[in-house]
Amino acid sequence: MGRTVYAEERLHNYLTSLAKPDEYTIGLIVGQSVGQRDYIVHLAKTPPPLGKNVVEETLLSSTTEAEQNTAVENHIRAVKDIPESWVADHAKHVTRMLPGGMRVLGTFIVGPEDITNNNSNVQKLRSVLATMQKNLSCNKYLCGDNNEEHLILNLNSVTQKYTCKSVEIHTNGILKPADWKFQAKATKWHQLEALVDFDRLFLIAANKDPETLKKQLQDILKSVSDIIESSLIVIEGEVRSPDDTLELISKSKKDEKNSKNNEKNNNDQSIQINLYIPCEEKNMNSDVKITPCSASIRLVGQLVSRTFVHQKANVEEANIAIKQDIIRSLASRLEMHWDSLIEEENGSPEENITLHEPPRRVLIALPESKVTLSDYLFPGEGPQEALLSLQELLDLEVQENNVQKDIELEADPSEFYSQNKINVKTTDLNIDSSGNRQTKIYIASFSIAILIVILAIIIQKLY
Amino acid sequence: MAPQLRILSNVIERLKNIKDDVTGHLYGVMYNNTLTVLTFSINLTDNVEANINHTMLQLHMSAEVYLCGILHVGQCEEKLPEMFQDIDITDNPLFFKYTHDNLKTQAYFYIHLKLEPVNDIKIINENDIRREFIYIRLRGSLPLIAQNDNIIEVLEESKKNIVSGKVGIHFPSKNAFIFNSENIEKDISLREILNIFDSEGNKNIKKDVKPTGIEDAVNAYILLKISGDRLPEENVKYAPVLQYIKRPFNSLECNLFIDTLSLVNLNVSSADLYGILVESMCRNIKLIEKCFEYQLQKSETSIKLPLPIHFKPQGFGHLITVVYPSGYSDKETMEYRENLHKILGLNMTRPYFRYGNAVKFYNDSQTESILINPHEAISTNDDIINGNRRVQIVQGLYMYHHYMQDNFDDNGWGCAYRSLQTIISWFRLQGYTEIPIPSHRLIQKCLVDIGDKPSNFVNSKQWIGSTEVGFVLESLLDISVKVLCASTGEEVSSLAPNLLHHFQTQGTPVMIGGGVLAHTILGISYDQITGDVKFLILDPHYTGSEHLPTIINKGWCGWKSKDFWKKDAFYNMCLPQRPVCI
């Protein structure tokens, strides 16, 4: 038996709206996959490539520029013209925005023919998927790797007929028919919420060759990811058996609420998650290690995680989704942060403090759904930036008030400079000339102190 | 209502050895309006140098055991109410007076600024406690990173996190968890968590007997919470940031071992239990902190990881936790141990807090499979213990070494070697030595090295006798031995007074060799009227598995009459002497 795919009716409308008589539109299928079933939350058109020297930053650059470019060129005239690495890059950016447990499940293509009937087309699509898969699997902390079957959805813009196939790209297997169902009623989701508190110190040994900040952040990501993977998930205050269904848990939660007659909480049906690290003595290593260090990095702050699992999901699926969400979110922030760094802060004075502020998470609900997607805003950026990337990457028009922008706050940099009577001087190392992405790196050293911190904040406010 | 008062019999026994006119403090556990006094400490007069006092001693106790009263031995000045000032666990502290003449005890609760006499003091024993209370041994290794010796700050920080509820507890035996939860509705008792039911009905079944010398504690492990609970809107926290601080410093990294005990009533609710276990962690961390502080003061040595160890000094009815820097020798911990002896009113002639004295736990991977003190499983009867008899048995713990152990076939020739191993195990378990139990080969090599035997003795299957046992003990343990001889088996009984004296003053197992057989004597019972003598014998010729019921029921460990000794054999006994040290 082939796969069964459930999608909401609005996505059918969306798909139809992409139909054009003489060109092809490719995009990504996004959702949650469980065994032989797939629950689709969104279809996202891949934005047209903008030219030869495109870097990912420009993908998010101002709309006017993008509009100009799309107006003149870059239509896909034939399947063979589909830009593989472009689609793969799109998949990476979209994956960053997905809650844990959801992935890019495959690709859709709208065009004036039945694409899967043509062998060379199929080869091309398989190669698109393979590139995408390769791109996602080399970034394990993004948790976007899809080892299973990929979906190919095709809408013939002439006949308005759609067909869906699944394919295993690793085994070079044949296309298998999949049953794609557009449903009027919305898929039901359980919403899982966790607040992960970080406060960890990472040491940089003095006798080691200095590494790039990127490498240091990668090491931190690995270490945190290991911790999250090893953690125990506690659902509504209890450790559940992996086979328990979430339906049971949220039902008993509702009963409790009703019996308490607690009306004001009734609209909130999210399931609260806590994470614990087991600390059984695995190794009896009683060494005390003393290391001369040249610097330390302290990761501190709260990561807000919101994950969705389908109605019939069990605890094990939920556990995996939650861990994925936390790791994916941290990985996305750190990647975006190191990508945004223009220069490494070398040759700065002996004693200084630098505050690295990776972008913070905002959540945006999908239309007619409680499922939220994420975007990441650098300090100084507002919700309109999130709307922009939503439109670019997900082809979604969302109102600004639909952006939940206050789940995580911007840190107050002055808090981090008031340490140890160190006199503080701050410099903005890195203000992107375009002004789109600002990363503020404050370097503190021996001189004039807090006055300048205040100044810097004022400058930031002015932007 | 005034609390009920119970006192552990061990407290009364220990008080008999305390000199007159001494004041001290009492520690006990309060549950259900009943105060059970478990132990006491002595106020040190030469307190200037001592790094321990009565409030600090509380940290060495299991959680739930609190400073609860004042002790006066003999005539002491009563200073009301100042003397109760450090007791904050109860509004009604206990005042307990003990006088050596006619072993008189008087107890008062201090209620509404008045001393109210307690008329009904129940004396209970350790088994009574075990029916109501259980030890929970909570462990975990917490990663710790300090910068430039700010260890104490880091410890304070982790203590703060623990107190604020950022831990969970896992009971692996029932795969149960408890968390800091406000969900009181689901509150259940410890008994339910651990699925323990009243075993009142079948507690006398002998086949279920557990070996002694091993403490029973419920294992629990620490989980560290890394997530927050949902906050009201205005308390949203800032997103993760990275603070990069560039400056030279020394980091200190280690895995902090928490290993802490709580003495918990079986009916305690899970919410209370959580609080108790948190308190036990805090006590442990405070001890660890003290251990670090001590090391930081003497800056010449490198910092060692503090390791908690549990002890149960002989005659005590409860456990005590002590933290030593990892790898410190018994000599290096001497000063600390001296203070512990003093404050607990222990004699200064025997070690109680050396590494070898550490309590062994069930289910502990380090616990060896060899049985400890099998004789304690023997049910004694009137033939052995009655009003006319003087009974003295081995003091402390030993291990039952016998034929065929360690995958080594010594059937028919190794009995004296095994008896020697049992004696050495006693010296190990009493903390006198840390040398491993010597193999037959090592024993033979030792005898060759001291010139007693030719070199081809090594790897032979030749017997040894009590003389050789004595040589090896003198050589390996640096102790002295006494020798007793009996020219016939009949005559062995005539040495009963010597043996009584030996077990009373030395308390070590005795090796006896006669004819072709060697045995270990663990005790003696002497009827002062009839002159009948019974010997408590541990037989090294046993070849079976470490199965306590078989060993007891088949008499491999048991009381024997004088006919046990062969009439026509010549007997030599080796009486190891206990060194005087702590």
Side-chain angles (χ1 to χ4, degrees):
Chain A
M1 219 189 83
R3 309 186 70 84
T4 313
V5 189
Y6 302 94
E8 286 162 29
E9 192 60 44
R10 67 176 171 90
L11 297 174
H12 191 200
N13 301 337
Y14 173 73
L15 208 58
T16 322
S17 74
L18 296 174
K20 291 183 186 129
D22 57 349
E23 56 182 271
Y24 295 82
T25 308
I26 188 156
L28 304 174
I29 304 171
V30 168
Q32 195 162 81
S33 173
V34 191
Q36 286 293 298
R37 277 169 303 150
D38 300 292
Y39 301 90
I40 306 308
V41 292
H42 191 59
L43 299 174
K45 182 181 80 177
T46 301
L50 297 174
K52 287 223 165 68
N53 53 352
V54 180
V55 291
E56 56 173 81
E57 292 295 347
T58 49
L59 187 67
L60 300 156
S61 67
S62 72
T63 30
T64 50
E65 199 186 328
E67 274 161 11
Q68 280 165 10
N69 285 340
T70 48
V72 279
E73 46 182 343
N74 297 327
H75 300 301
I76 301 170
R77 299 286 176 194
V79 172
K80 68 173 171 49
D81 295 338
I82 295 171
E84 288 170 19
S85 59
W86 182 252
V87 176
D89 205 38
H90 183 218
K92 183 179 101 179
H93 282 89
V94 168
T95 302
R96 277 183 185 164
M97 304 179 85
L98 300 179
M102 295 203 187
R103 283 191 316 244
V104 173
L105 297 177
T107 174
F108 70 84
I109 181 155
V110 180
E113 60 171 317
D114 287 335
I115 286 142
T116 51
N117 288 346
N118 175 321
N119 206 27
S120 67
N121 283 349
V122 170
Q123 279 311 323
K124 176 67 184 178
L125 286 177
R126 188 179 277 145
S127 148
V128 168
L129 290 171
T131 312
M132 191 163 91
Q133 160 72 11
K134 203 174 140 221
N135 200 8
L136 287 172
S137 65
C138 71
N139 190 341
K140 92 176 216 217
Y141 301 119
L142 213 48
C143 309
D145 197 1
N146 182 359
N147 270 321
E148 297 162 39
E149 295 173 306
H150 284 69
L151 298 174
I152 298 174
L153 175 68
N154 169 222
L155 179 80
N156 184 326
S157 54
V158 181
T159 64
Q160 293 292 316
K161 271 195 186 147
Y162 61 87
T163 49
C164 183
K165 307 275 182 192
S166 65
V167 59
E168 279 181 51
I169 45 171
H170 289 308
T171 55
N172 230 353
I174 44 148
L175 297 193
K176 287 188 281 183
D179 185 12
W180 184 289
K181 289 178 173 164
F182 284 113
Q183 293 185 309
K185 70 173 169 47
T187 312
K188 286 189 179 141
W189 299 95
H190 297 286
Q191 181 175 329
L192 310 162
E193 296 231 3
L195 309 171
V196 184
D197 287 321
F198 291 111
D199 190 356
R200 302 191 84 81
L201 195 68
F202 299 89
L203 303 168
I204 294 166
N207 58 357
K208 273 195 193 159
D209 289 336
E211 278 168 338
T212 62
L213 183 68
K214 179 175 172 180
K215 177 72 177 61
Q216 287 162 354
L217 294 184
Q218 279 170 334
D219 291 346
I220 289 173
L221 181 57
K222 180 184 184 312
S223 156
V224 173
S225 162
D226 290 347
I227 289 163
I228 299 294
E229 286 293 356
S230 75
S231 66
L232 174 82
I233 303 277
V234 177
I235 302 175
E236 290 288 339
E238 280 182 55
V239 180
R240 313 277 178 163
S241 129
D243 303 329
D244 283 359
T245 64
L246 288 185
E247 237 169 349
L248 212 73
I249 295 165
S250 69
K251 189 167 172 288
S252 70
K253 188 176 153 78
K254 265 182 221 160
D255 291 349
E256 226 169 82
K257 285 239 168 77
N258 290 342
S259 69
K260 277 185 194 163
N261 251 338
N262 198 344
E263 290 297 325
K264 69 171 192 258
N265 274 343
N266 255 3
N267 56 347
D268 157 45
Q269 277 159 19
S270 68
I271 297 171
Q272 296 304 307
I273 303 297
N274 274 302
L275 287 93
Y276 288 82
I277 323 168
C279 22
E280 278 187 46
E281 308 150 48
K282 282 172 207 95
N283 60 343
M284 287 297 290
N285 181 1
S286 55
D287 288 350
V288 173
K289 201 169 105 193
I290 308 236
T291 322
C293 293
S294 58
S296 67
I297 303 178
R298 180 169 167 236
L299 172 67
V300 62
Q302 190 175 66
L303 182 151
V304 175
S305 160
R306 189 179 293 172
T307 313
F308 299 87
V309 288
H310 66 93
Q311 194 180 12
K312 305 276 181 207
N314 63 21
V315 166
E316 191 180 6
E317 290 167 49
N319 288 354
I320 292 169
I322 293 158
K323 289 179 181 182
Q324 257 185 22
D325 189 68
I326 295 164
I327 295 168
R328 178 184 285 167
S329 178
L330 186 67
S332 302
R333 297 159 201 247
L334 295 184
E335 274 175 22
M336 288 170 78
H337 180 70
W338 72 59
D339 284 346
S340 74
L341 290 172
I342 291 173
E343 50 181 295
E344 287 282 336
E345 73 303 358
N346 285 328
S348 39
E350 274 295 288
E351 200 158 9
N352 61 40
I353 302 178
T354 312
L355 183 67
H356 290 277
E357 292 179 82
R360 69 186 200 279
R361 187 180 224 179
V362 293
L363 295 171
I364 309 105
L366 280 167
E368 299 157 54
S369 171
K370 73 175 186 184
V371 173
T372 53
L373 303 179
S374 310
D375 194 25
Y376 294 91
L377 299 183
F378 281 95
E381 286 184 333
Q384 62 283 359
E385 264 91 354
L387 300 184
L388 213 63
S389 38
L390 227 63
Q391 196 202 25
E392 289 286 335
L393 294 168
L394 299 170
D395 201 12
L396 269 176
E397 293 285 349
V398 183
Q399 298 302 307
E400 190 171 320
N401 56 10
N402 285 342
V403 180
Q404 301 171 36
K405 59 180 196 304
D406 295 324
I407 53 159
E408 293 178 1
L409 293 185
E410 246 177 71
D412 172 9
S414 62
E415 233 180 85
F416 295 88
Y417 294 117
S418 54
Q419 286 213 342
N420 301 337
K421 293 166 253 156
I422 295 172
N423 285 337
V424 176
K425 175 187 157 193
T426 69
T427 357
D428 259 11
L429 255 195
N430 178 18
I431 297 177
D432 203 332
S433 54
S434 71
N436 286 328
R437 290 269 160 180
Q438 296 172 346
T439 309
K440 297 209 162 45
I441 298 170
Y442 298 91
I443 294 228
S445 72
F446 288 103
S447 57
I448 323 167
I450 297 157
L451 184 71
I452 296 192
V453 179
I454 296 160
L455 259 174
I457 294 165
I458 294 165
I459 292 167
Q460 181 187 333
K461 287 271 156 60
L462 289 175
Y463 269 103
Chain B
M1 203 178 88
Q4 301 289 305
L5 180 62
R6 303 192 301 185
I7 294 178
L8 189 61
S9 55
N10 305 60
V11 172
I12 308 292
E13 287 304 311
R14 281 171 57 206
L15 280 171
K16 291 177 184 166
N17 300 320
I18 303 300
K19 62 178 192 294
D20 254 338
D21 306 334
V22 161
T23 60
H25 288 84
L26 299 163
Y27 306 79
V29 42
M30 187 80 178
Y31 189 79
N32 219 353
N33 205 36
T34 301
L35 175 65
T36 309
V37 176
L38 297 175
T39 193
F40 64 85
S41 67
I42 296 301
N43 292 343
L44 303 176
T45 43
D46 53 340
N47 211 358
V48 200
E49 302 243 347
N51 49 12
I52 190 162
N53 65 18
H54 56 276
T55 45
M56 269 187 261
L57 190 68
Q58 181 175 281
L59 303 176
H60 294 267
M61 304 288 172
S62 308
E64 281 294 86
V65 181
Y66 284 99
L67 191 58
C68 65
I70 296 297
L71 169 72
H72 280 185
V73 180
Q75 292 304 310
C76 306
E77 192 191 349
E78 290 168 24
K79 283 183 252 168
L80 293 171
E82 306 92 82
M83 64 183 193
F84 295 125
Q85 64 185 358
D86 292 328
I87 301 166
D88 41 20
I89 190 61
T90 169
D91 293 334
N92 308 130
L94 178 68
F95 177 39
F96 189 73
K97 285 162 82 169
Y98 173 86
T99 37
H100 286 299
D101 317 327
N102 60 39
L103 304 175
K104 202 174 135 204
T105 59
Q106 288 166 281
Y108 308 87
F109 281 114
Y110 189 61
I111 300 171
H112 302 310
L113 305 176
K114 264 177 25 203
L115 288 175
E116 303 281 352
V118 182
N119 299 321
D120 181 26
I121 308 174
K122 258 194 219 141
I123 306 292
I124 60 168
N125 64 30
E126 215 185 328
N127 285 336
D128 299 325
I129 303 236
R130 285 311 179 95
R131 272 190 283 277
E132 295 166 42
F133 294 88
I134 196 165
Y135 277 107
I136 296 181
R137 185 184 186 199
L138 179 62
R139 277 178 287 177
S141 83
L142 314 185
L144 177 139
I145 301 179
Q147 309 168 59
N148 285 340
D149 296 343
N150 73 343
I151 308 169
I152 307 300
E153 281 167 52
V154 175
L155 284 172
E156 285 296 327
E157 188 64 29
S158 54
K159 209 163 67 191
K160 221 167 75 192
N161 280 333
I162 289 169
V163 172
S164 70
K166 289 218 159 257
V167 285
I169 315 287
H170 180 211
F171 296 93
S173 63
K174 293 284 177 282
N175 202 28
F177 294 86
I178 53 172
F179 303 107
N180 179 32
S181 147
E182 289 129 41
N183 207 345
I184 311 289
E185 288 151 76
K186 282 185 187 162
D187 212 8
I188 54 169
S189 73
L190 175 62
R191 204 186 280 276
E192 288 166 275
I193 295 171
L194 299 175
N195 212 358
I196 300 167
F197 298 106
D198 271 324
S199 55
E200 287 293 315
N202 56 3
K203 67 169 184 280
N204 280 330
I205 294 179
K206 265 290 169 196
K207 70 172 165 42
D208 205 36
V209 68
K210 282 181 170 174
T212 51
I214 303 183
E215 283 298 319
D216 208 357
V218 173
N219 280 323
Y221 292 95
I222 302 170
L223 301 158
L224 284 184
K225 190 178 184 186
I226 53 166
S227 59
D229 292 308
R230 183 144 45 155
L231 302 161
E233 205 93 324
E234 62 269 22
N235 284 337
V236 176
K237 297 191 182 163
Y238 58 83
V241 294
L242 299 127
Q243 185 190 32
Y244 191 109
I245 304 181
K246 202 169 178 184
R247 81 266 179 243
F249 67 99
N250 280 328
S251 70
L252 180 152
E253 287 173 275
C254 58
N255 276 321
L256 210 59
F257 289 121
I258 303 288
D259 184 345
T260 184
L261 298 169
S262 305
L263 186 61
V264 185
N265 191 287
L266 283 168
N267 294 320
V268 79
S269 71
S270 62
D272 289 345
L273 177 61
Y274 183 84
I276 293 165
L277 293 172
V278 164
E279 163 70 14
S280 80
M281 275 182 259
C282 290
R283 286 189 181 186
N284 221 229
I285 292 176
K286 281 183 201 158
L287 288 177
I288 288 167
E289 221 175 278
K290 291 242 176 305
C291 183
F292 270 128
E293 269 171 5
Y294 169 79
Q295 294 184 70
L296 288 169
Q297 278 160 16
K298 19 181 280 180
S299 51
E300 75 271 19
T301 51
S302 63
I303 302 271
K304 297 276 194 290
L305 184 69
L307 291 179
I309 306 174
H310 308 295
F311 295 96
K312 188 177 178 188
Q314 213 191 334
F316 276 47
H318 66 96
L319 299 174
I320 292 178
T321 306
V322 180
V323 172
Y324 295 135
S326 147
Y328 265 37
S329 66
D330 284 329
K331 203 174 151 220
E332 284 167 294
T333 60
M334 174 89 142
E335 186 194 342
Y336 199 77
R337 290 186 291 114
E338 270 175 5
N339 288 325
L340 280 172
H341 276 245
K342 283 181 198 159
I343 197 166
L344 290 167
L346 285 163
N347 64 55
M348 300 304 268
T349 57
R350 293 174 182 188
Y352 294 109
F353 296 104
R354 290 190 181 194
Y355 291 109
N357 299 113
V359 154
K360 280 135 201 83
F361 288 95
Y362 274 114
N363 313 323
D364 203 341
S365 53
Q366 289 168 346
T367 306
E368 289 139 281
S369 62
I370 298 179
L371 293 177
I372 293 180
N373 284 28
H375 74 272
E376 290 185 31
I378 300 169
S379 43
T380 47
N381 58 33
D382 204 42
D383 289 347
I384 310 298
I385 297 171
N386 63 43
N388 299 331
R389 284 183 168 270
R390 288 187 62 204
V391 181
Q392 290 292 339
I393 59 170
V394 64
Q395 300 171 14
L397 306 175
Y398 62 89
M399 283 182 162
Y400 182 19
H401 289 272
H402 58 75
Y403 276 168
M404 306 303 282
Q405 276 175 340
D406 333 303
N407 296 318
F408 187 74
D409 185 354
D410 55 348
N411 198 347
W413 61 275
C415 50
Y417 293 84
R418 296 297 185 179
S419 182
L420 172 60
Q421 286 178 336
T422 291
I423 291 169
I424 291 174
S425 78
W426 184 93
F427 279 90
R428 278 170 53 82
L429 291 169
Q430 265 49 244
Y432 288 104
T433 180
E434 288 188 78
I435 66 154
I437 300 290
S439 64
H440 296 56
R441 190 178 177 279
L442 218 110
I443 292 166
Q444 290 167 336
K445 195 169 170 300
C446 172
L447 287 166
V448 171
D449 288 348
I450 61 168
D452 181 62
K453 292 278 188 287
S455 59
N456 64 2
F457 182 65
V458 178
N459 290 331
S460 71
K461 293 189 176 182
Q462 289 184 49
W463 301 344
I464 55 171
S466 57
T467 324
E468 287 88 347
V469 166
F471 286 157
V472 174
L473 287 173
E474 284 167 345
S475 164
L476 290 183
L477 301 184
D478 197 20
I479 59 160
S480 60
V481 298
K482 276 188 184 163
V483 175
L484 289 177
C485 305
S487 47
T488 66
E490 295 266 286
E491 212 183 300
V492 175
S493 296
S494 68
L495 296 171
N498 306 57
L499 287 169
L500 279 169
H501 183 254
H502 168 81
F503 284 114
Q504 191 177 7
T505 56
Q506 304 299 319
T508 63
V510 170
M511 181 265 173
I512 179 166
V516 297
L517 299 176
H519 288 94
T520 312
I521 304 178
L522 297 174
I524 187 146
S525 168
Y526 176 65
D527 192 311
Q528 288 162 303
I529 293 168
T530 65
D532 178 59
V533 183
K534 295 262 190 315
F535 300 87
L536 181 55
I537 299 296
L538 185 69
D539 193 337
H541 303 95
Y542 176 61
T543 55
S545 64
E546 315 305 315
H547 187 243
L548 187 58
T550 308
I551 288 160
I552 300 301
N553 295 335
K554 303 275 183 192
W556 294 104
C557 177
W559 288 96
K560 310 285 179 190
S561 68
K562 62 180 169 51
D563 306 328
F564 184 74
W565 311 114
K566 288 206 169 60
K567 288 197 175 57
D568 52 355
F570 180 87
Y571 283 94
N572 262 330
M573 278 177 250
C574 173
L575 285 54
Q577 304 297 295
R578 190 198 265 264
V580 176
C581 61
I582 69 159

